[in-house]
Amino acid sequence: MHFAVYLLLLFPVPAAWAARPLGERLPPRLATWLLTVGAVVLASASSLALGVLAITALLRFPLLARLADGRWSAQVAQHHDPASLSVGLLACAVLAAAATAAAVMLWRRVRTLAAAAAEAACMPGHEQLVVVEDPAAEAYALPGLPGRIVVSTGMLDALDSSEHEVLLAHERAHLTHHHYLFVAFTQLAAAANPLLRPLASTTSYTVERWADESAATAVGDRRQVARTVGKAALAAKRTRARGWIPAAALGVLGRFAPTEPGPVPRRVAALLTPPLRNRTLLVAAIVALLLATAVCAFEATRDLEALLDLARHGVARR
């Protein structure tokens, strides 16, 4: 195949390299959308490229042509396809592994979201907020119909009343903006193409930053939000005994252990600086990469169609 199909396999590399800078330098809402759309597009495009290469390999086998009632000429396909048979067979193996990994991830995400929805429906009361008796400091948003906000008594004791407002605003943002879907889509894309894992991990960070900024807008005080995030992390670290949290839940501490260095301090530091503004050049670069991906996918599809036409015409001339 021509170079376009191979570019589709290379585009995730610069995207992975740019994921964290993008998450740090763009407003979190915009960064989350770009990361999610980019991950889905790049994963789909790389799977398409593997599929194209796999089909060109399968076209070379006369047995498959005979099983298809001789609808194409294996000799013509082999003569006109510039990709080697070894490359096509390797693409078959990689595509099978990627499809299996994506299917397993999809099953896990559907199962965890269904379990979260079932748990949310079984919680007592009809209010969005559910307070549980637990000395461990915990707080998270549980997706469902409707979603619930679960806060432990340990977390409430660790924060004052004004910080309770920040905490609830943060968790409401997770439910209102359906952040669990952004995380699920990027994780599915990363399962299909492991090169996209930095986009998935950065999205887990940017949805927390998005919720932080939503809380800052709700209470009108960025420093108070930063203080609340810091105090919540310290309280969780001090109590340590974290209870069972559904895999689909998102909380003020993010999807990371409170003792893990990095995400919480970065969030606090971001809240102590002015809100980020859109960077036109950075957004334009990401959009250009996605457009180039679309163009290459179109060209790869055209190359495959041309090869199929040649193989079919080879049968017609017999």
Side-chain angles (χ1 to χ4, degrees), residues 2-135:
H2 295 119
F3 70 94
V5 71
Y6 300 106
L7 285 178
L8 294 176
L9 300 174
L10 294 177
F11 282 153
V13 175
W17 175 80
R20 178 160 176 169
L22 189 152
E24 297 283 0
R25 298 176 184 176
L26 289 179
R29 179 172 186 159
L30 175 60
T32 300
W33 273 103
L34 287 176
L35 288 166
T36 304
V37 172
V40 171
V41 169
L42 291 170
S44 301
S46 60
S47 297
L48 172 66
L50 292 172
V52 168
L53 292 171
I55 290 173
T56 63
L58 296 177
L59 289 175
R60 294 168 179 259
F61 292 95
L63 177 60
L64 294 178
R66 288 195 295 271
L67 291 175
D69 297 327
R71 293 177 184 175
W72 73 82
S73 169
Q75 292 76 16
V76 172
Q78 182 175 358
H79 177 74
H80 289 280
D81 181 14
S84 65
L85 178 61
S86 59
V87 170
L89 293 177
L90 178 61
C92 287
V94 175
L95 181 61
T100 301
V104 170
M105 177 58 71
L106 178 61
W107 166 249
R108 287 178 178 174
R109 294 308 302 177
V110 170
R111 186 176 62 181
T112 55
L113 288 173
E119 183 179 353
C122 293
M123 285 185 170
H126 300 285
E127 300 295 329
Q128 187 180 52
L129 176 62
V130 178
V131 178
V132 296
E133 289 288 341
D134 191 341

Side-chain angles (χ1 to χ4, degrees), residues 268-279:
V268 171
L271 287 164
L272 295 177
T273 59
L276 294 172
R277 296 183 179 181
N278 292 342
R279 293 176 178 261

Side-chain angles (χ1 to χ4, degrees), residues 120-214:
C122 293
M123 285 185 170
H126 300 285
E127 300 295 329
Q128 187 180 52
L129 176 62
V130 178
V131 178
V132 296
E133 289 288 341
D134 191 341
E138 291 291 356
Y140 54 89
L142 194 62
L145 298 172
R148 311 296 286 270
I149 296 172
V150 181
V151 183
S152 69
T153 52
M155 181 64 80
L156 293 177
D157 293 339
L159 305 177
D160 61 33
S161 58
S162 62
E163 292 161 346
H164 292 167
E165 182 182 357
V166 173
L167 180 69
L168 295 179
H170 178 102
E171 303 304 344
R172 287 194 191 100
H174 282 317
L175 295 177
T176 301
H177 302 297
H178 307 289
H179 288 165
Y180 56 91
L181 293 179
F182 293 97
V183 173
F185 277 119
T186 54
Q187 287 182 341
L188 181 61
N193 188 337
L195 291 174
L196 298 173
R197 286 177 180 172
L199 279 72
S201 60
T202 303
T203 300
S204 294
Y205 168 75
T206 58
V207 294
E208 296 301 330
R209 285 280 298 114
W210 185 351
D212 289 341
E213 294 294 340
S214 295

Side-chain angles (χ1 to χ4, degrees), residues 183-272:
V183 173
F185 277 119
T186 54
Q187 287 182 341
L188 181 61
N193 188 337
L195 291 174
L196 298 173
R197 286 177 180 172
L199 279 72
S201 60
T202 303
T203 300
S204 294
Y205 168 75
T206 58
V207 294
E208 296 301 330
R209 285 280 298 114
W210 185 351
D212 289 341
E213 294 294 340
S214 295
T217 300
V219 302
D221 189 341
R222 297 173 61 80
R223 287 186 173 275
Q224 184 180 3
V225 177
R227 184 169 57 252
T228 302
V229 171
K231 286 183 65 175
L234 289 174
K237 181 179 180 180
R238 185 171 58 252
T239 56
R240 291 184 180 276
R242 293 169 64 90
W244 180 83
I245 300 178
L250 292 173
V252 70
L253 301 178
R255 299 180 61 82
F256 307 90
T259 56
E260 180 179 338
V264 170
R266 284 160 55 201
R267 288 166 54 197
V268 171
L271 287 164
L272 295 177

